[in-house]
Amino acid sequence: MSFGAVRTDIPVLKQMGKGGVANYTFGLTRSNLQKSSTLYFDNFVVQELQSGKQLKYLIHYEPEENWYYNKNRDLANYSGRIKIYNIQAELVGNMNIANGELLPVQQQKMNDILLCMWEVDSIWCIGDVNGGDNYSCYYHYTMECSSGSSGGGGSTFEDIPYETPSGGSWENDPTGGGSESSSTPGDPAIDTQPLLIDDRETVDDKIDSDSLNECHSKLIDILKTVESGIVGQMIQKLAGSNSTNYNWNIDYNMPLGSNPNATASTDPIASSNSIGTHINLNRIQNSTDLSMARTFVHESIHAFLAYQYRNDSSSSDLNYTKLLNKYANQYNTNANDTHHILYLKENLIGPIADALQQFGAKLGYNLSTQYYEDMAYGGLYASSTTNTLFENLVSNQNDRDRIKNRLSAETDNLTINGVSPKGEKACN
Amino acid sequence: MVYPQRGKKLVIKTLTMKLISILIIMNHLISCNSQVTNNETKQDSTNFDEIINLILKDYKGVNSVVVCEESLDYNSTEIVAYKKSLKQALDIDLIEEFQQNSPGNSRKIGRFLNKEDLEYMRKQIDLPINWKRKKLNKNIDFRLCNLEKEKSNFNNLYLQISKPLFNKDKTYSIIFVAQSHSEYIIKLLLFQNNKYGWEKVLNLNM
C-alpha cells in the first residue's frame, strides 16, 4: 500500500481524550501509486497514550459514492470500506460498512483478531464536494482496539503489537502541528457495537478456490494474505480489495489434450468478469507446498496482467498495459511470452521472491532470500527470448543449474542432481 | 486426276497429324496434371519444412526441446479459454476476440484471411499428412512422443504441433503449437508466404 504526504494546506484535527491525552488527525495527499479513479482519502492518526507513548496508524477510506457526495454526510451513516494500516503501511484491519453498520463477516480466519470500538462525534470535510484531489475529510472519533480471539478482547490500544513506530516513509514529518479543531471532544466512553476486523472478508468473494482440494485451498488462503510489494498489490487487485469486480477462478480443469508435463495453465485472455487458472492435478501430486506457492504466485501475475490488459486500458495503474504493449512490440506478440518478458524486464523476480518469502514464512519456513529468488524464476526460460533474458540476468551457468534443479526438486519432491527440496509435500 | 489423289493423301496425312497432335496434347495434358500433383506434394513438404524451421527459431536457445509429431489433434485438443476444440477455434470472430485482448496484436486476422479461407482450411483437417523427420538442431529432438509416459523436469520443454493448414493459393498457413514447460500454453501461428519466403505474421495465445 502506498500513501501520499501529509497535507500542509489544511489544518490538523486535534481531539482531546481522557486524562488530557490528544489525538491528531492529518489529511494526506493522494498517492501516485494508487489508482486515480478510485474514490478514497487517507488520514494519518497520532494518538497519545497515557503511558506517554504515541500510537500512529493510517486510515484509508473508500466510501461509496452516495455517501461521499451527500452534503449531509455523517460517519454514523458511513457506507464503504475502511482499512487500517500500521506505520509500515501493512494492513492490520479491514472492514465493510453499510449505513454505519458493519457487514457480517462470513468466515473467521485470522489468528489474531483486532476488536475495535469507536464513537463518532463529528465529521468535517474540506475542498470541492464533487471530489477531486484536493478533497479531504476528517473525523472526530474515539476508537479503541484490542487483540485476542473473536470472543475475547477488552484490553486497550496499548496491547496492539505495532504500538511503537519507528521511522516511516513520510515525505513530510507529520509532527508539524496545526490548528486545533473547534469541535468539542466527545466522551471517550464506548457504547457502540464492536467492529470485527478481518482482512479477507471480500477476498473470498473474488479469488475462488472452491474447486480445489483442502490442502491446495489452504495455500490459496495464504496467498490472499500476501499484500506488501508490487506482487502483493496485484494479488489484492485480483482479490477485489482494490475496487475491482473481477474474479479469479482456480480449478483442476486443464483443457482436453493438454500436455501432461505442465503444472498449470492460465487463460490467456480475461473474459467479461473472470479469468481462470487450471492446475494439472496429475502433474503436481508430489509437489511441495513451496512449489505450489510458486505456481500460485506466478499464475496470479498472469491473471492480473490479463485482467489489466482487458479492463484497464487507461494504463493509469502501474502502467502495465503500456508495458505489455511495449514488450509485445519489441519481442514477441504472444501474450504468455510478453508476460514473462515483463516479469524479467521489470525486475519482478525480487517482488515475486518477496511474495514467496511472505508465503513461506506463513508456512513456517525460514529460508534464504536466495532460495526464494531461485523459485521465482520458475517458468521464465521456456522460449528463446525469455531464455536469453534469463541467461542475461543469471549469467553464471552454475547458478542457472541450481535454479533449475531447485525448481525440479520442489515440483517433484525429489532430489535432483544432488539438490533436495526444502518444502514438504503439499497434499498427502 | 493427280490433284484429287494428292488431295486424298493430303487429307489423310492432315487427319493423321491432327490425331497425333491430339494424342500429344492429351499426353501432355495428362503429364502436366501429374506434374501438378507431384509439385503440390513437393510444395507442401517444402512449405512445411520452412514453417517448422520458423517455429523452432523461437526455441533455438532453449536446451532440450522435444517436438512431438502428430500430437496436436484438431478434434480432441481444446484451446485453454472457452474450452473449444482447435477445429472450433478456427473462427475469425473468436480469433479476433482473442486478439483484442492480447498485447501487440493490432494486425487482425481478417486482414489476411476471410471466412472462406478458414472454411477451406477446416476441410484439410482430416486429410492425412506425411510427417517427415527433419534434420534439426542438436538440442531439438523431433520424434513420436508418448507424453503420458514422458518423465519431465524443468530442463525439458515439449512442443506439440498440429497439422499445418493452407489457404487455397497457399499464401497463408495456420498451425497450432502447444508448449509445455512448467505451464501449458497453446498458440495459433499464422504464416504468410511472400516473395521472401514464409514469414510469421500472427502469434496468438489461445
Side-chain angles (χ1 to χ4, degrees), chain A residues 253 255-256 258-259 261-265 267-268 283 298-299 302 309-310 332-334 336 340 379 381-382 384 387 404 408 411, chain B residues 58 61-62 77-78 80 83 101 103-105 147 150 152-155 157-158 160 179-185 187 203 205-206:
Chain A
N253 300 325
L256 281 178
S258 60
N259 191 319
N261 286 305
T263 56
S265 180
D267 294 350
R283 181 68 184 88
H298 181 102
E299 299 304 320
H302 277 305
Y309 198 82
R310 181 180 176 113
N332 192 342
T333 55
N334 182 270
N336 206 63
H340 288 163
Y381 43 87
S384 180
N387 190 52
K404 291 178 181 180
S408 282
T411 304
Chain B
D58 287 345
V62 182
T77 304
E78 286 179 339
V80 178
K83 303 287 181 194
N101 293 293
N105 277 285
L147 288 167
E150 300 283 348
S152 166
N153 62 33
F154 278 66
N155 295 319
L157 190 146
Y158 289 90
Q160 295 164 269
Q179 174 187 314
S180 180
H181 191 244
S182 63
E183 293 173 293
Y184 174 78
I185 61 165
K187 301 189 284 189
N203 182 358
N205 248 37
M206 295 289 280

Short mmCIF file of all heavy atoms in Angstrom, two decimals, chain A residues 253 255-256 258-259 261-265 267-268 283 298-299 302 309-310 332-334 336 340 379 381-382 384 387 404 408 411, chain B residues 58 61-62 77-78 80 83 101 103-105 147 150 152-155 157-158 160 179-185 187 203 205-206:
data_model
loop_
_atom_site.label_atom_id
_atom_site.label_comp_id
_atom_site.label_asym_id
_atom_site.label_seq_id
_atom_site.Cartn_x
_atom_site.Cartn_y
_atom_site.Cartn_z
N ASN A 253 -9.33 -28.10 -14.00
CA ASN A 253 -9.84 -28.44 -15.33
C ASN A 253 -8.89 -28.03 -16.44
O ASN A 253 -9.16 -27.10 -17.20
CB ASN A 253 -11.21 -27.79 -15.55
CG ASN A 253 -12.23 -28.25 -14.53
OD1 ASN A 253 -12.20 -29.40 -14.10
ND2 ASN A 253 -13.10 -27.34 -14.11
N PRO A 255 -7.30 -28.03 -20.01
CA PRO A 255 -8.01 -28.29 -21.28
C PRO A 255 -7.73 -29.68 -21.82
O PRO A 255 -6.65 -30.24 -21.58
CB PRO A 255 -7.44 -27.22 -22.22
CG PRO A 255 -6.26 -26.66 -21.55
CD PRO A 255 -6.37 -26.92 -20.10
N LEU A 256 -8.68 -30.21 -22.55
CA LEU A 256 -8.53 -31.56 -23.12
C LEU A 256 -7.35 -31.59 -24.08
O LEU A 256 -7.15 -30.67 -24.87
CB LEU A 256 -9.79 -31.94 -23.91
CG LEU A 256 -11.00 -32.41 -23.12
CD1 LEU A 256 -12.15 -32.69 -24.07
CD2 LEU A 256 -10.67 -33.66 -22.30
N SER A 258 -4.29 -31.47 -23.29
CA SER A 258 -3.12 -30.69 -22.88
C SER A 258 -1.98 -31.61 -22.45
O SER A 258 -2.20 -32.75 -22.04
CB SER A 258 -3.49 -29.73 -21.75
OG SER A 258 -3.96 -30.43 -20.64
N ASN A 259 -0.81 -31.08 -22.57
CA ASN A 259 0.39 -31.84 -22.27
C ASN A 259 0.45 -32.17 -20.78
O ASN A 259 0.37 -31.27 -19.94
CB ASN A 259 1.58 -30.97 -22.67
CG ASN A 259 2.88 -31.75 -22.65
OD1 ASN A 259 3.11 -32.54 -21.75
ND2 ASN A 259 3.70 -31.50 -23.63
N ASN A 261 2.80 -32.83 -18.92
CA ASN A 261 4.01 -32.41 -18.21
C ASN A 261 3.90 -31.03 -17.59
O ASN A 261 4.77 -30.61 -16.83
CB ASN A 261 5.21 -32.44 -19.15
CG ASN A 261 5.63 -33.86 -19.44
OD1 ASN A 261 5.90 -34.62 -18.53
ND2 ASN A 261 5.63 -34.24 -20.70
N ALA A 262 2.87 -30.28 -17.95
CA ALA A 262 2.74 -28.93 -17.40
C ALA A 262 2.09 -28.96 -16.02
O ALA A 262 1.29 -29.85 -15.73
CB ALA A 262 1.90 -28.08 -18.34
N THR A 263 2.44 -27.99 -15.19
CA THR A 263 1.83 -27.94 -13.86
C THR A 263 0.54 -27.11 -13.86
O THR A 263 -0.34 -27.36 -13.04
CB THR A 263 2.80 -27.33 -12.83
OG1 THR A 263 3.20 -26.05 -13.30
CG2 THR A 263 4.02 -28.20 -12.64
N ALA A 264 0.45 -26.14 -14.77
CA ALA A 264 -0.71 -25.25 -14.72
C ALA A 264 -0.90 -24.54 -16.05
O ALA A 264 -0.02 -24.54 -16.90
CB ALA A 264 -0.53 -24.21 -13.63
N SER A 265 -2.04 -23.92 -16.18
CA SER A 265 -2.31 -23.11 -17.36
C SER A 265 -3.29 -22.01 -16.98
O SER A 265 -4.29 -22.28 -16.30
CB SER A 265 -2.93 -24.00 -18.45
OG SER A 265 -3.20 -23.24 -19.58
N ASP A 267 -5.77 -18.93 -18.42
CA ASP A 267 -6.41 -18.45 -19.64
C ASP A 267 -5.65 -17.24 -20.17
O ASP A 267 -5.33 -16.33 -19.40
CB ASP A 267 -7.86 -18.03 -19.37
CG ASP A 267 -8.72 -19.22 -18.98
OD1 ASP A 267 -8.25 -20.36 -19.10
OD2 ASP A 267 -9.86 -18.98 -18.53
N PRO A 268 -5.37 -17.20 -21.45
CA PRO A 268 -4.58 -16.08 -21.97
C PRO A 268 -5.34 -14.77 -22.03
O PRO A 268 -4.74 -13.72 -22.08
CB PRO A 268 -4.21 -16.55 -23.38
CG PRO A 268 -5.28 -17.52 -23.74
CD PRO A 268 -5.70 -18.18 -22.48
N ARG A 283 0.03 -33.76 -12.48
CA ARG A 283 1.45 -33.40 -12.53
C ARG A 283 1.98 -32.94 -11.16
O ARG A 283 3.18 -33.03 -10.90
CB ARG A 283 1.63 -32.26 -13.57
CG ARG A 283 3.07 -31.79 -13.74
CD ARG A 283 3.92 -32.87 -14.37
NE ARG A 283 5.32 -32.48 -14.45
CZ ARG A 283 6.21 -32.68 -13.49
NH1 ARG A 283 5.84 -33.26 -12.36
NH2 ARG A 283 7.46 -32.32 -13.64
N HIS A 298 3.00 -17.17 -9.39
CA HIS A 298 3.31 -16.95 -10.81
C HIS A 298 2.02 -16.78 -11.62
O HIS A 298 1.89 -15.85 -12.43
CB HIS A 298 4.13 -18.14 -11.31
CG HIS A 298 4.56 -18.05 -12.74
ND1 HIS A 298 5.83 -17.68 -13.14
CD2 HIS A 298 3.87 -18.26 -13.89
CE1 HIS A 298 5.90 -17.68 -14.45
NE2 HIS A 298 4.72 -18.04 -14.94
N GLU A 299 1.09 -17.68 -11.40
CA GLU A 299 -0.16 -17.62 -12.18
C GLU A 299 -1.02 -16.41 -11.80
O GLU A 299 -1.75 -15.88 -12.63
CB GLU A 299 -0.97 -18.91 -12.00
CG GLU A 299 -0.26 -20.19 -12.45
CD GLU A 299 0.20 -20.16 -13.90
OE1 GLU A 299 -0.53 -19.64 -14.75
OE2 GLU A 299 1.31 -20.65 -14.17
N HIS A 302 -0.02 -13.64 -14.03
CA HIS A 302 -0.65 -13.80 -15.36
C HIS A 302 -2.10 -13.31 -15.31
O HIS A 302 -2.54 -12.58 -16.20
CB HIS A 302 -0.67 -15.27 -15.78
CG HIS A 302 0.61 -15.77 -16.38
ND1 HIS A 302 1.21 -15.17 -17.46
CD2 HIS A 302 1.39 -16.82 -16.06
CE1 HIS A 302 2.31 -15.85 -17.78
NE2 HIS A 302 2.45 -16.84 -16.94
N TYR A 309 -4.95 -5.90 -18.88
CA TYR A 309 -4.96 -5.57 -20.30
C TYR A 309 -6.37 -5.37 -20.83
O TYR A 309 -6.64 -4.47 -21.62
CB TYR A 309 -4.26 -6.67 -21.12
CG TYR A 309 -3.88 -6.17 -22.48
CD1 TYR A 309 -2.72 -5.44 -22.68
CD2 TYR A 309 -4.72 -6.36 -23.57
CE1 TYR A 309 -2.39 -4.93 -23.91
CE2 TYR A 309 -4.40 -5.86 -24.81
CZ TYR A 309 -3.23 -5.15 -24.98
OH TYR A 309 -2.92 -4.63 -26.21
N ARG A 310 -7.26 -6.20 -20.35
CA ARG A 310 -8.63 -6.10 -20.85
C ARG A 310 -9.40 -4.93 -20.24
O ARG A 310 -10.18 -4.27 -20.92
CB ARG A 310 -9.40 -7.39 -20.56
CG ARG A 310 -10.81 -7.34 -21.10
CD ARG A 310 -11.58 -8.61 -20.82
NE ARG A 310 -12.94 -8.45 -21.29
CZ ARG A 310 -13.46 -9.12 -22.29
NH1 ARG A 310 -12.74 -9.98 -22.95
NH2 ARG A 310 -14.71 -8.94 -22.63
N ASN A 332 7.81 -10.22 -28.72
CA ASN A 332 7.00 -11.34 -29.18
C ASN A 332 5.55 -11.02 -28.87
O ASN A 332 5.22 -10.72 -27.75
CB ASN A 332 7.44 -12.59 -28.40
CG ASN A 332 6.89 -13.85 -28.98
OD1 ASN A 332 5.93 -13.80 -29.75
ND2 ASN A 332 7.46 -14.96 -28.63
N THR A 333 4.71 -11.10 -29.88
CA THR A 333 3.32 -10.72 -29.65
C THR A 333 2.52 -11.80 -28.95
O THR A 333 1.33 -11.65 -28.72
CB THR A 333 2.62 -10.40 -30.98
OG1 THR A 333 2.76 -11.53 -31.84
CG2 THR A 333 3.20 -9.18 -31.63
N ASN A 334 3.17 -12.89 -28.59
CA ASN A 334 2.44 -13.92 -27.85
C ASN A 334 2.28 -13.47 -26.40
O ASN A 334 3.25 -13.10 -25.73
CB ASN A 334 3.22 -15.24 -27.91
CG ASN A 334 2.50 -16.34 -27.19
OD1 ASN A 334 2.72 -16.53 -26.01
ND2 ASN A 334 1.62 -17.01 -27.88
N ASN A 336 1.67 -14.89 -23.56
CA ASN A 336 2.37 -15.57 -22.48
C ASN A 336 3.84 -15.15 -22.43
O ASN A 336 4.39 -14.84 -21.36
CB ASN A 336 2.28 -17.09 -22.69
CG ASN A 336 2.39 -17.85 -21.40
OD1 ASN A 336 1.54 -17.71 -20.53
ND2 ASN A 336 3.45 -18.63 -21.25
N HIS A 340 5.93 -12.99 -19.54
CA HIS A 340 7.20 -13.45 -18.94
C HIS A 340 8.32 -12.45 -19.18
O HIS A 340 9.18 -12.26 -18.31
CB HIS A 340 7.57 -14.82 -19.51
CG HIS A 340 6.69 -15.93 -19.00
ND1 HIS A 340 6.61 -17.16 -19.59
CD2 HIS A 340 5.85 -15.98 -17.94
CE1 HIS A 340 5.75 -17.92 -18.92
NE2 HIS A 340 5.28 -17.21 -17.92
N GLY A 379 9.36 -21.16 -14.78
CA GLY A 379 8.57 -20.87 -15.97
C GLY A 379 9.08 -19.72 -16.82
O GLY A 379 8.43 -19.33 -17.78
N TYR A 381 12.02 -19.45 -18.57
CA TYR A 381 13.08 -19.70 -19.56
C TYR A 381 12.63 -20.74 -20.57
O TYR A 381 13.38 -21.63 -20.96
CB TYR A 381 14.39 -20.13 -18.87
CG TYR A 381 14.23 -21.13 -17.75
CD1 TYR A 381 14.21 -22.49 -18.00
CD2 TYR A 381 14.08 -20.69 -16.44
CE1 TYR A 381 14.05 -23.39 -16.99
CE2 TYR A 381 13.92 -21.59 -15.41
CZ TYR A 381 13.91 -22.94 -15.69
OH TYR A 381 13.75 -23.84 -14.66
N ALA A 382 11.37 -20.62 -21.01
CA ALA A 382 10.81 -21.65 -21.89
C ALA A 382 10.71 -21.23 -23.34
O ALA A 382 10.10 -21.92 -24.14
CB ALA A 382 9.45 -22.09 -21.37
N SER A 384 12.98 -18.88 -26.60
CA SER A 384 14.28 -18.31 -26.92
C SER A 384 14.45 -16.93 -26.27
O SER A 384 15.47 -16.63 -25.66
CB SER A 384 14.42 -18.20 -28.43
OG SER A 384 15.64 -17.65 -28.76
N ASN A 387 14.50 -17.18 -22.45
CA ASN A 387 15.73 -17.88 -22.05
C ASN A 387 16.94 -16.94 -22.15
O ASN A 387 17.80 -16.94 -21.28
CB ASN A 387 15.92 -19.11 -22.93
CG ASN A 387 17.03 -19.99 -22.42
OD1 ASN A 387 17.04 -20.35 -21.24
ND2 ASN A 387 17.99 -20.30 -23.26
N LYS A 404 17.33 -24.35 -11.74
CA LYS A 404 16.51 -25.37 -12.40
C LYS A 404 16.39 -26.62 -11.53
O LYS A 404 15.32 -27.23 -11.45
CB LYS A 404 17.12 -25.72 -13.76
CG LYS A 404 17.00 -24.57 -14.76
CD LYS A 404 17.65 -24.90 -16.09
CE LYS A 404 17.52 -23.73 -17.05
NZ LYS A 404 18.14 -23.98 -18.36
N SER A 408 12.93 -28.13 -10.04
CA SER A 408 12.54 -29.52 -10.31
C SER A 408 12.36 -30.29 -9.02
O SER A 408 11.42 -31.08 -8.88
CB SER A 408 13.61 -30.21 -11.16
OG SER A 408 13.48 -29.82 -12.49
N THR A 411 9.13 -29.31 -7.47
CA THR A 411 7.97 -29.74 -8.25
C THR A 411 7.67 -31.22 -8.04
O THR A 411 6.51 -31.63 -7.91
CB THR A 411 8.19 -29.48 -9.75
OG1 THR A 411 8.48 -28.11 -9.93
CG2 THR A 411 6.97 -29.84 -10.58
N ASP B 58 12.00 -19.94 -32.55
CA ASP B 58 11.58 -19.36 -31.28
C ASP B 58 12.19 -20.08 -30.08
O ASP B 58 12.11 -19.61 -28.96
CB ASP B 58 10.05 -19.41 -31.15
CG ASP B 58 9.37 -18.41 -32.06
OD1 ASP B 58 10.07 -17.51 -32.56
OD2 ASP B 58 8.16 -18.54 -32.29
N GLY B 61 17.46 -21.15 -28.51
CA GLY B 61 18.40 -21.02 -27.39
C GLY B 61 18.05 -21.92 -26.22
O GLY B 61 18.75 -21.91 -25.20
N VAL B 62 16.97 -22.64 -26.33
CA VAL B 62 16.50 -23.43 -25.19
C VAL B 62 17.08 -24.83 -25.24
O VAL B 62 17.14 -25.44 -26.30
CB VAL B 62 14.96 -23.52 -25.21
CG1 VAL B 62 14.44 -24.29 -24.01
CG2 VAL B 62 14.36 -22.13 -25.26
N THR B 77 -8.26 -31.72 -29.13
CA THR B 77 -7.49 -30.78 -28.31
C THR B 77 -8.29 -29.49 -28.14
O THR B 77 -8.82 -28.96 -29.12
CB THR B 77 -6.13 -30.45 -28.98
OG1 THR B 77 -5.44 -31.66 -29.20
CG2 THR B 77 -5.30 -29.53 -28.09
N GLU B 78 -8.31 -29.01 -26.90
CA GLU B 78 -9.06 -27.77 -26.62
C GLU B 78 -8.10 -26.60 -26.49
O GLU B 78 -6.99 -26.75 -26.01
CB GLU B 78 -9.79 -27.89 -25.28
CG GLU B 78 -11.01 -28.77 -25.29
CD GLU B 78 -11.64 -28.84 -23.91
OE1 GLU B 78 -10.95 -28.55 -22.90
OE2 GLU B 78 -12.80 -29.20 -23.83
N VAL B 80 -7.24 -23.22 -24.41
CA VAL B 80 -7.28 -23.10 -22.95
C VAL B 80 -8.56 -22.39 -22.50
O VAL B 80 -9.29 -22.89 -21.65
CB VAL B 80 -6.03 -22.36 -22.44
CG1 VAL B 80 -6.10 -22.19 -20.94
CG2 VAL B 80 -4.78 -23.13 -22.83
N LYS B 83 -12.80 -23.52 -23.75
CA LYS B 83 -12.97 -24.97 -23.90
C LYS B 83 -13.50 -25.37 -25.27
O LYS B 83 -14.41 -26.19 -25.40
CB LYS B 83 -13.91 -25.51 -22.80
CG LYS B 83 -13.46 -25.19 -21.39
CD LYS B 83 -12.28 -26.02 -20.99
CE LYS B 83 -11.84 -25.72 -19.56
NZ LYS B 83 -10.53 -26.26 -19.24
N ASN B 101 -7.80 -8.79 -26.92
CA ASN B 101 -7.40 -8.81 -25.52
C ASN B 101 -5.97 -9.29 -25.31
O ASN B 101 -5.60 -9.64 -24.20
CB ASN B 101 -8.37 -9.68 -24.72
CG ASN B 101 -9.74 -9.05 -24.67
OD1 ASN B 101 -9.93 -8.01 -24.07
ND2 ASN B 101 -10.69 -9.66 -25.36
N PRO B 103 -1.82 -8.40 -25.96
CA PRO B 103 -0.93 -7.30 -26.32
C PRO B 103 -0.28 -7.50 -27.68
O PRO B 103 0.00 -8.64 -28.09
CB PRO B 103 0.13 -7.33 -25.21
CG PRO B 103 0.02 -8.68 -24.59
CD PRO B 103 -1.38 -9.13 -24.78
N GLY B 104 -0.07 -6.40 -28.38
CA GLY B 104 0.71 -6.43 -29.62
C GLY B 104 0.04 -7.06 -30.80
O GLY B 104 0.70 -7.39 -31.77
N ASN B 105 -1.26 -7.23 -30.74
CA ASN B 105 -1.95 -7.88 -31.86
C ASN B 105 -2.85 -6.90 -32.60
O ASN B 105 -4.05 -7.09 -32.70
CB ASN B 105 -2.75 -9.09 -31.37
CG ASN B 105 -1.87 -10.32 -31.24
OD1 ASN B 105 -1.52 -10.93 -32.23
ND2 ASN B 105 -1.50 -10.63 -30.02
N LEU B 147 3.39 -38.78 -24.38
CA LEU B 147 3.52 -37.78 -23.30
C LEU B 147 3.11 -38.33 -21.95
O LEU B 147 3.62 -37.91 -20.92
CB LEU B 147 2.68 -36.55 -23.65
CG LEU B 147 3.26 -35.70 -24.78
CD1 LEU B 147 2.23 -34.69 -25.27
CD2 LEU B 147 4.52 -34.99 -24.35
N GLU B 150 6.22 -39.80 -20.61
CA GLU B 150 7.43 -38.99 -20.50
C GLU B 150 7.59 -38.49 -19.07
O GLU B 150 6.64 -38.04 -18.46
CB GLU B 150 7.35 -37.77 -21.44
CG GLU B 150 7.19 -38.10 -22.89
CD GLU B 150 8.48 -38.56 -23.54
OE1 GLU B 150 9.55 -38.42 -22.91
OE2 GLU B 150 8.40 -39.08 -24.66
N SER B 152 9.11 -35.67 -17.10
CA SER B 152 9.67 -34.35 -17.38
C SER B 152 10.22 -33.71 -16.12
O SER B 152 9.73 -33.92 -15.03
CB SER B 152 8.58 -33.46 -17.95
OG SER B 152 8.99 -32.13 -17.95
N ASN B 153 11.25 -32.94 -16.27
CA ASN B 153 11.58 -31.97 -15.23
C ASN B 153 11.74 -30.63 -15.93
O ASN B 153 11.44 -30.49 -17.11
CB ASN B 153 12.80 -32.39 -14.41
CG ASN B 153 14.04 -32.49 -15.26
OD1 ASN B 153 14.20 -31.74 -16.22
ND2 ASN B 153 14.90 -33.44 -14.93
N PHE B 154 12.21 -29.64 -15.19
CA PHE B 154 12.23 -28.30 -15.76
C PHE B 154 13.31 -28.10 -16.82
O PHE B 154 13.45 -27.03 -17.36
CB PHE B 154 12.40 -27.27 -14.64
CG PHE B 154 11.10 -26.95 -13.98
CD1 PHE B 154 10.43 -27.91 -13.24
CD2 PHE B 154 10.53 -25.70 -14.11
CE1 PHE B 154 9.23 -27.62 -12.64
CE2 PHE B 154 9.33 -25.41 -13.51
CZ PHE B 154 8.67 -26.37 -12.77
N ASN B 155 14.08 -29.13 -17.09
CA ASN B 155 15.09 -28.98 -18.13
C ASN B 155 14.56 -29.41 -19.50
O ASN B 155 15.25 -29.30 -20.49
CB ASN B 155 16.33 -29.80 -17.77
CG ASN B 155 16.99 -29.23 -16.54
OD1 ASN B 155 17.09 -28.02 -16.39
ND2 ASN B 155 17.41 -30.10 -15.64
N LEU B 157 11.56 -29.15 -22.49
CA LEU B 157 10.41 -28.40 -23.00
C LEU B 157 9.77 -29.22 -24.12
O LEU B 157 10.47 -29.67 -25.03
CB LEU B 157 10.89 -27.05 -23.53
CG LEU B 157 9.82 -26.04 -23.89
CD1 LEU B 157 10.31 -24.64 -23.59
CD2 LEU B 157 9.45 -26.13 -25.35
N TYR B 158 8.49 -29.43 -24.02
CA TYR B 158 7.80 -30.24 -25.01
C TYR B 158 6.95 -29.35 -25.92
O TYR B 158 6.21 -28.50 -25.43
CB TYR B 158 6.89 -31.27 -24.34
CG TYR B 158 7.67 -32.38 -23.67
CD1 TYR B 158 8.06 -32.28 -22.34
CD2 TYR B 158 8.01 -33.52 -24.38
CE1 TYR B 158 8.79 -33.29 -21.74
CE2 TYR B 158 8.73 -34.54 -23.78
CZ TYR B 158 9.12 -34.42 -22.47
OH TYR B 158 9.84 -35.42 -21.88
N GLN B 160 4.10 -29.56 -28.99
CA GLN B 160 3.20 -30.36 -29.82
C GLN B 160 2.77 -29.48 -30.99
O GLN B 160 2.47 -28.30 -30.80
CB GLN B 160 1.97 -30.78 -29.01
CG GLN B 160 2.28 -31.70 -27.85
CD GLN B 160 1.12 -31.75 -26.89
OE1 GLN B 160 1.06 -30.98 -25.94
NE2 GLN B 160 0.19 -32.66 -27.13
N GLN B 179 2.84 -25.62 -26.07
CA GLN B 179 4.14 -25.60 -25.41
C GLN B 179 3.95 -25.98 -23.96
O GLN B 179 3.06 -25.48 -23.29
CB GLN B 179 4.71 -24.18 -25.51
CG GLN B 179 5.99 -23.96 -24.76
CD GLN B 179 6.38 -22.50 -24.79
OE1 GLN B 179 6.34 -21.86 -25.83
NE2 GLN B 179 6.73 -21.96 -23.63
N SER B 180 4.79 -26.87 -23.50
CA SER B 180 4.65 -27.29 -22.12
C SER B 180 5.99 -27.31 -21.42
O SER B 180 6.89 -28.03 -21.82
CB SER B 180 4.04 -28.69 -22.07
OG SER B 180 3.90 -29.08 -20.74
N HIS B 181 6.10 -26.47 -20.41
CA HIS B 181 7.29 -26.47 -19.56
C HIS B 181 6.74 -26.58 -18.17
O HIS B 181 6.25 -27.63 -17.77
CB HIS B 181 8.08 -25.18 -19.81
CG HIS B 181 9.43 -25.18 -19.19
ND1 HIS B 181 9.78 -24.29 -18.20
CD2 HIS B 181 10.51 -25.95 -19.41
CE1 HIS B 181 11.04 -24.54 -17.85
NE2 HIS B 181 11.50 -25.54 -18.56
N SER B 182 6.77 -25.50 -17.40
CA SER B 182 6.02 -25.56 -16.14
C SER B 182 4.56 -25.22 -16.41
O SER B 182 3.67 -25.60 -15.67
CB SER B 182 6.61 -24.62 -15.11
OG SER B 182 6.52 -23.30 -15.55
N GLU B 183 4.34 -24.47 -17.49
CA GLU B 183 2.97 -24.08 -17.85
C GLU B 183 2.60 -24.68 -19.20
O GLU B 183 3.47 -24.97 -20.01
CB GLU B 183 2.86 -22.56 -17.97
CG GLU B 183 3.05 -21.83 -16.67
CD GLU B 183 3.10 -20.34 -16.90
OE1 GLU B 183 4.04 -19.85 -17.52
OE2 GLU B 183 2.17 -19.67 -16.45
N TYR B 184 1.32 -24.80 -19.41
CA TYR B 184 0.83 -25.26 -20.71
C TYR B 184 0.20 -24.07 -21.42
O TYR B 184 -0.67 -23.39 -20.86
CB TYR B 184 -0.22 -26.36 -20.51
CG TYR B 184 -0.90 -26.82 -21.77
CD1 TYR B 184 -0.25 -27.70 -22.64
CD2 TYR B 184 -2.18 -26.41 -22.09
CE1 TYR B 184 -0.86 -28.14 -23.80
CE2 TYR B 184 -2.81 -26.85 -23.24
CZ TYR B 184 -2.14 -27.72 -24.09
OH TYR B 184 -2.77 -28.15 -25.23
N ILE B 185 0.66 -23.80 -22.63
CA ILE B 185 0.00 -22.76 -23.41
C ILE B 185 -0.20 -23.30 -24.83
O ILE B 185 0.52 -24.18 -25.28
CB ILE B 185 0.81 -21.44 -23.49
CG1 ILE B 185 2.17 -21.67 -24.16
CG2 ILE B 185 0.96 -20.81 -22.14
CD1 ILE B 185 2.82 -20.38 -24.58
N LYS B 187 -0.77 -21.93 -28.84
CA LYS B 187 -0.64 -20.74 -29.67
C LYS B 187 -1.16 -21.01 -31.08
O LYS B 187 -0.96 -22.11 -31.61
CB LYS B 187 0.84 -20.34 -29.79
CG LYS B 187 1.50 -20.05 -28.48
CD LYS B 187 2.88 -19.45 -28.67
CE LYS B 187 3.92 -20.46 -29.07
NZ LYS B 187 5.28 -19.88 -29.02
N ASN B 203 0.96 -14.38 -33.85
CA ASN B 203 1.42 -15.29 -32.80
C ASN B 203 0.49 -15.06 -31.62
O ASN B 203 0.65 -14.11 -30.87
CB ASN B 203 2.88 -14.95 -32.45
CG ASN B 203 3.44 -15.89 -31.40
OD1 ASN B 203 2.75 -16.79 -30.91
ND2 ASN B 203 4.70 -15.69 -31.07
N ASN B 205 -1.82 -16.35 -28.30
CA ASN B 205 -2.19 -17.31 -27.26
C ASN B 205 -3.68 -17.60 -27.34
O ASN B 205 -4.49 -16.68 -27.39
CB ASN B 205 -1.92 -16.68 -25.89
CG ASN B 205 -0.80 -17.34 -25.17
OD1 ASN B 205 0.17 -17.72 -25.81
ND2 ASN B 205 -0.92 -17.48 -23.88
N MET B 206 -4.03 -18.87 -27.34
CA MET B 206 -5.46 -19.21 -27.41
C MET B 206 -5.91 -19.90 -26.12
O MET B 206 -5.18 -20.61 -25.52
CB MET B 206 -5.72 -20.13 -28.59
CG MET B 206 -5.47 -19.51 -29.94
SD MET B 206 -6.68 -18.26 -30.41
CE MET B 206 -8.04 -19.25 -30.98
#
